[in-house]
Amino acid sequence: MAYSTSSPAGQCVQNIINSLPSLMAVAVVDANSGMALASHSNSPSLNPETAAAYNTEVVKQKQKAMSALKLGNEKIDDILISLSNQIHLINLSDDGKKFIYLVVNSRDTNLAIARDVCRQESGLLN
Amino acid sequence: MTGASSDSSLPPKRPHAAHRLVPLPLASAATSQPEKVIQLIKAELPGLRVVAAIDVASGKCLASYCRPRAPAAEWVAEHHATTVRQQQLALQAWPGRPEQLTDMLIPMRRHLHLLRVARKGEWFVYLAVKADELSLALAREVLRMAMKRAGC
């Protein structure tokens, strides 16, 4: 466990664990630096902080694509990534400075449930 | 002075967004699948803004279609290819059984952007629709079915 429930990021991670006890990993990440403010993994081999660092670049790249498309009035709320057996979600806070990174097994949780849980908790990060 | 030399003094033409299909010049079996997917999606979603099949490694469009006044797919192809490559890099850092990227959904207030990777991971389809014209689930399903029907 790499979080303290006394911080908003830690509380957010704890709430997500309570809602989705079978999750694989979760982290609250600083969108600028890619560093995790709080994280938790249900498997010792999974390091959500490493994956979060890579996913920060995914967010930045998508924002560049939006600039190229001249979608300046649009905002990315979340990015939903489906893999062969997993779902990865990136949910950005309203100010875009932090994001929740959640990994679940697609057998345990569907995309809509995982997205709804993240959306509810991202309000805590503002 | 020839006509060709006077043309060369003109500024280079920017890609414009008109109804068009841009096939890859090479006529191989590998190029037919992207074109087929674009045709299937275009037939299913007449109101779509942009759809393009993009090579992951080079970021080049294999085939594309844009609605008038929509941004040309070529402009953003490289950005989206980098997004997919970045995601594939993130997956390599993930331990355990290797996972394959299937799709990425980026819903926004007014637009939905979807990226779906072909089975071998060499190219992907980028689809942009207006959020008030199509739901995310339906857009995803149309994309999934078109790629399945095209055999990729």
Side-chain angles (χ1 to χ4, degrees), chain A residues 1-119:
Chain A
M1 193 201 304
Y3 65 94
S4 155
T5 50
S6 59
S7 70
Q11 189 60 55
C12 175
V13 164
Q14 185 59 59
N15 291 350
I16 293 173
I17 294 167
N18 293 344
S19 301
L20 300 169
S22 62
L23 63 81
M24 295 177 74
V26 61
V28 173
V29 184
D30 175 70
N32 191 35
S33 65
M35 288 194 278
L37 301 165
S39 68
H40 172 82
S41 169
N42 274 333
S43 164
S45 66
L46 299 181
N47 184 353
E49 301 197 10
T50 309
Y54 280 102
N55 278 290
T56 305
E57 293 307 314
V58 173
V59 173
K60 287 182 177 173
Q61 196 55 46
K62 187 60 203 167
Q63 283 167 339
K64 278 185 198 169
M66 281 172 62
S67 302
L69 278 168
K70 297 186 172 45
L71 294 175
N73 55 347
E74 283 280 33
K75 190 167 76 74
I76 299 176
D77 288 328
D78 49 11
I79 299 178
L80 321 171
I81 303 147
S82 304
L83 311 178
S84 24
N85 299 293
Q86 298 168 6
I87 299 167
H88 293 211
L89 274 102
I90 297 169
N91 187 301
L92 283 122
S93 60
D94 286 344
D95 59 8
K97 289 180 179 169
K98 294 170 197 157
F99 66 83
I100 299 170
Y101 175 55
L102 172 65
V103 182
V104 293
N105 193 308
S106 45
R107 282 173 307 183
D108 301 328
T109 312
N110 74 29
L111 195 58
I113 294 169
R115 192 182 183 202
D116 189 51
V117 168
C118 277
R119 204 185 276 157

Side-chain angles (χ1 to χ4, degrees), chain B:
Chain B
M1 184 183 285
T2 64
S5 62
S6 62
D7 284 345
S8 65
S9 63
L10 295 171
K13 284 183 181 174
R14 290 171 65 192
H16 59 279
H19 284 80
R20 63 185 179 278
L21 277 172
V22 187
L24 197 71
L26 299 169
S28 68
T31 62
S32 65
Q33 274 187 337
E35 288 167 26
K36 194 173 174 187
V37 172
I38 303 300
Q39 295 284 6
L40 286 167
I41 294 172
K42 199 180 139 200
E44 199 71 37
L45 304 173
L48 68 87
R49 278 173 62 78
V50 182
V51 62
I54 299 163
D55 182 70
V56 173
S58 68
K60 299 269 184 275
C61 273
L62 304 174
S64 68
Y65 164 83
C66 300
R67 200 155 81 172
R69 292 191 297 280
E74 291 84 349
W75 288 6
V76 285
E78 176 54 34
H79 287 291
H80 285 117
T82 310
T83 306
V84 171
R85 285 198 298 268
Q86 199 63 47
Q87 188 56 49
Q88 287 173 337
L89 265 180
L91 292 179
Q92 285 171 19
W94 200 253
R97 197 169 52 172
E99 287 280 325
Q100 286 278 324
L101 176 60
T102 307
D103 63 12
M104 292 179 74
L105 315 176
I106 305 109
M108 289 170 276
R109 196 159 43 99
R110 293 193 305 176
H111 299 95
L112 308 174
H113 289 190
L114 298 92
L115 311 174
R116 189 174 183 92
V117 182
R119 203 181 295 155
K120 289 182 182 170
E122 292 164 350
W123 57 278
F124 64 96
V125 176
Y126 160 60
L127 171 66
V129 292
K130 283 197 167 182
D132 56 4
E133 289 176 3
L134 200 65
S135 74
L136 183 62
L138 197 53
R140 189 187 190 204
E141 189 58 18
V142 167
L143 183 53
R144 190 184 71 81
M145 284 306 293
M147 291 186 76
K148 190 179 172 188
R149 281 171 62 192
C152 45

